């Protein structure tokens, strides 16, 4: 979500996510004739301690997860275990 939807106070994070998406598309085009396929996995919001480690209160982090979960088609927030299994 952060790569396509800006969030106040998250400039560096959002720009980094957008750059990875665009790099993936560019690499896919550049390598298409070599038989190499380039893909990027973009899981939904994953609940971690990232925000709290960055100085957010538990309440602010909980509010963030609640709001970003609504932006996903499923409305669900993922867990770290969901991504590790990939």
């Amino acid at each position: 979500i952060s790569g396509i939807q800006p969030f106040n106070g998250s400039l560096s994070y959002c720009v980094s996510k957008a750059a990875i998406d665009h790099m993936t598309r560019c690499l896919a085009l550049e390598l298409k004739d070599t038989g190499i396929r380039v893909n990027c996995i973009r899981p939904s919001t994953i609940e971690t301690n990232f925000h709290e480690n960055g100085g957010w209160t538990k309440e602010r982090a909980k509010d963030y997860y609640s709001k970003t979960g609504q932006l996903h088609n499923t409305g669900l927030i993922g867990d770290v275990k969901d991504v590790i299994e990939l």
Side-chain angles (χ1 to χ4, degrees), residues 31-55:
L31 298 174
K32 68 179 180 165
D33 295 331
T34 67
I36 297 173
R37 295 176 66 177
V38 180
N39 295 293
C40 179
I41 297 173
R42 292 190 310 172
S44 62
T45 301
I46 304 297
E47 189 168 354
T48 67
N49 58 1
F50 174 81
H51 298 93
E52 290 176 48
N53 287 343

Side-chain angles (χ1 to χ4, degrees), residues 56-74:
W56 286 14
T57 64
K58 286 186 180 198
E59 293 76 26
R60 183 175 178 195
K62 184 177 179 180
D63 183 53
Y64 168 81
Y65 290 123
S66 174
K67 288 179 181 175
T68 57
Q70 297 170 17
L71 298 174
H72 300 289
N73 293 336
T74 63

Side-chain angles (χ1 to χ4, degrees), residues 2 5 14 20 28 34 43 55 65 71:
S2 297
Q5 172 69 45
C14 292
I20 290 171
T34 67
Y65 290 123
L71 298 174

Side-chain angles (χ1 to χ4, degrees), residues 1-15:
I1 291 293
S2 297
I4 56 174
Q5 172 69 45
F7 291 97
N8 190 28
S10 300
L11 173 67
S12 299
Y13 185 74
C14 292
V15 169

